[in-house]
């Protein structure tokens, strides 16, 4: 009789172990798929977040550059209010302007703007006419 009880106890223990293992196996199979799905979604969200952070950085760089331009332009406004002349604007090469320059300065201006060498030994009027034609031909 004791042997039968021991065999029954062993059978109950083995059956319990088998059922626990099968429940654990079902649990891991069901939830492992869900866990993989969640991992995929998290990875997708993470990639999107990284992409957006990159775009925000690009836009911040653009804003930074635009801010520098605003600062420079505001300085120009202050100078205009003070009555200063606008800097950076080239004087138009009129004949009267060219005539006000020295012969050597006319030759330099033509060299800078047109990359043409003029002979400074020419008469000034001829030099002014050639310079005017070359500069305004561009």
């Amino acid at each position: 009789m004791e042997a039968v009880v021991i065999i029954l106890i062993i059978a109950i223990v083995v059956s319990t172990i088998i059922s626990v293992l099968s429940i654990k196996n079902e649990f891991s199979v069901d939830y492992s798929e869900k866990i993989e799905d969640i991992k995929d979604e998290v990875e997708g969200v993470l990639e999107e977040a990284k992409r957006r952070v990159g775009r925000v950085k690009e836009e911040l760089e653009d804003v930074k550059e635009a801010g520098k331009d605003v600062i420079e332009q505001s300085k120009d406004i202050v100078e205009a209010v003070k009555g200063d002349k606008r800097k950076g604007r080239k004087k138009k090469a009129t004949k009267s302007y060219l005539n006000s320059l020295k012969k050597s300065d006319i030759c330099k201006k033509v060299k800078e703007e047109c990359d043409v060498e003029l002979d400074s030994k020419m008469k000034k009027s001829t030099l002014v006419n050639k310079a005017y034609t070359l500069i305004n031909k561009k």
Side-chain angles (χ1 to χ4, degrees):
M1 174 95 168
E2 287 181 14
V4 172
V5 173
I6 292 175
I7 292 174
L8 279 175
I9 292 175
I10 291 174
I12 291 172
V13 169
V14 168
S15 136
T16 305
I17 291 173
I18 290 172
S19 65
V20 166
L21 287 176
S22 75
I23 290 172
K24 182 179 178 187
N25 191 25
E26 287 176 19
F27 173 81
S28 66
V29 168
D30 288 343
Y31 288 101
S32 66
E33 291 175 10
K34 291 180 182 178
I35 290 171
E36 288 300 318
D37 291 342
I38 292 170
K39 281 183 184 178
D40 291 341
E41 286 182 32
V42 168
E43 287 174 358
V45 169
L46 186 61
E47 287 176 17
E48 178 66 14
K50 286 180 182 178
R51 185 189 70 78
R52 288 183 185 188
V53 166
R55 286 283 298 125
V56 168
K57 284 182 181 179
E58 289 174 7
E59 292 302 322
L60 285 174
E61 285 297 318
D62 292 347
V63 169
K64 182 179 169 184
E65 290 298 317
K68 288 179 183 177
D69 291 342
V70 167
I71 291 170
E72 289 300 317
Q73 293 300 319
S74 64
K75 288 178 184 176
D76 293 344
I77 292 170
V78 170
E79 289 176 2
V81 169
K82 289 180 182 177
D84 293 345
K85 291 186 177 181
R86 186 169 183 171
K87 295 177 182 145
R89 186 178 286 184
K90 293 182 181 179
K91 286 191 173 185
K92 190 171 180 184
T94 60
K95 285 188 179 182
S96 60
Y97 167 70
L98 291 171
N99 212 10
S100 69
L101 299 176
K102 294 180 184 176
K103 288 167 69 173
S104 60
D105 292 336
I106 296 171
C107 292
K108 284 181 189 175
K109 186 161 185 69
V110 171
K111 177 68 175 165
E112 289 171 4
E113 292 195 24
C114 304
D115 200 29
V116 174
E117 297 265 347
L118 291 179
D119 185 13
S120 61
K121 294 179 183 174
M122 287 189 232
K123 289 167 90 181
K124 188 169 183 180
S125 61
T126 308
L127 196 60
V128 166
N129 287 332
K130 284 192 177 194
Y132 180 80
T133 304
L134 287 170
I135 292 172
N136 290 318
K137 189 189 288 186
K138 312 193 288 186

